Amino acid sequence: MVLAQFTVAAAFAVRTMRVTFDEIDPRLEQVALTLGCSRAQAFWMVAFPQARRGLLTAATLAWARALGEFGPILVFSGTTRLRTEVLPTSVFLELSVGNVEAAVAVSFLLVAAAVAVLVVVRVFGLGGHARG
């Protein structure tokens, strides 16, 4: 189940990280190389600190996508109450037995998680583009 979630969510993280690393000026790494850093040191000391906001955004978006994913959970693990039950399948299980109130409550948890993720991305993510 974790592998299925990772496969689905990785596309969002990779796309965001690609944009993040494309925005970093490669000349800064070249300067670090001329000053005696190895490639690994130049990455960890120059590129990585500049990319941390984008990496946080990528991780947050991938986590949010994996949290709300429904299809891979049903295909790979099924929907067994209290064994393979996660929030999206819990909504499905509650609706299937006619417990609308519980399904709405779990849906509100998912909405709250989505709002929290959007706030984190907005506050700490790529929104500012400020480098410094």
Side-chain angles (χ1 to χ4, degrees):
M1 185 165 64
V2 172
L3 183 60
Q5 296 289 50
F6 176 77
T7 303
V8 171
F12 290 93
V14 168
R15 191 174 308 139
T16 305
M17 287 187 294
R18 181 176 177 204
V19 170
T20 298
F21 283 106
D22 283 346
E23 289 180 355
I24 296 174
D25 186 7
R27 289 180 40 204
L28 298 173
E29 284 186 86
Q30 292 297 326
V31 169
L33 291 173
T34 60
L35 293 174
C37 287
S38 67
R39 285 204 171 277
Q41 288 173 326
F43 174 78
W44 287 109
M45 294 171 61
V46 176
F48 188 76
Q50 291 180 354
R52 75 174 176 262
R53 289 175 59 133
L55 294 172
L56 176 65
T57 302
T60 306
L61 290 174
W63 175 80
R65 175 66 182 185
L67 178 69
E69 196 58 43
F70 186 71
I73 294 171
L74 288 178
V75 170
F76 290 109
S77 66
T79 53
T80 306
R81 185 157 313 271
L82 299 177
R83 289 194 84 204
T84 60
E85 185 177 6
V86 292
L87 289 176
T89 58
S90 181
V91 173
F92 174 73
L93 288 171
E94 295 300 339
L95 285 175
S96 68
V97 296
N99 193 355
V100 177
E101 294 83 12
V104 169
V106 173
S107 297
F108 278 137
L109 284 174
L110 285 168
V111 169
V115 168
V117 166
L118 288 174
V119 167
V120 166
V121 168
R122 183 69 170 173
V123 171
F124 298 109
L126 288 174
H129 294 301
R131 301 279 184 224

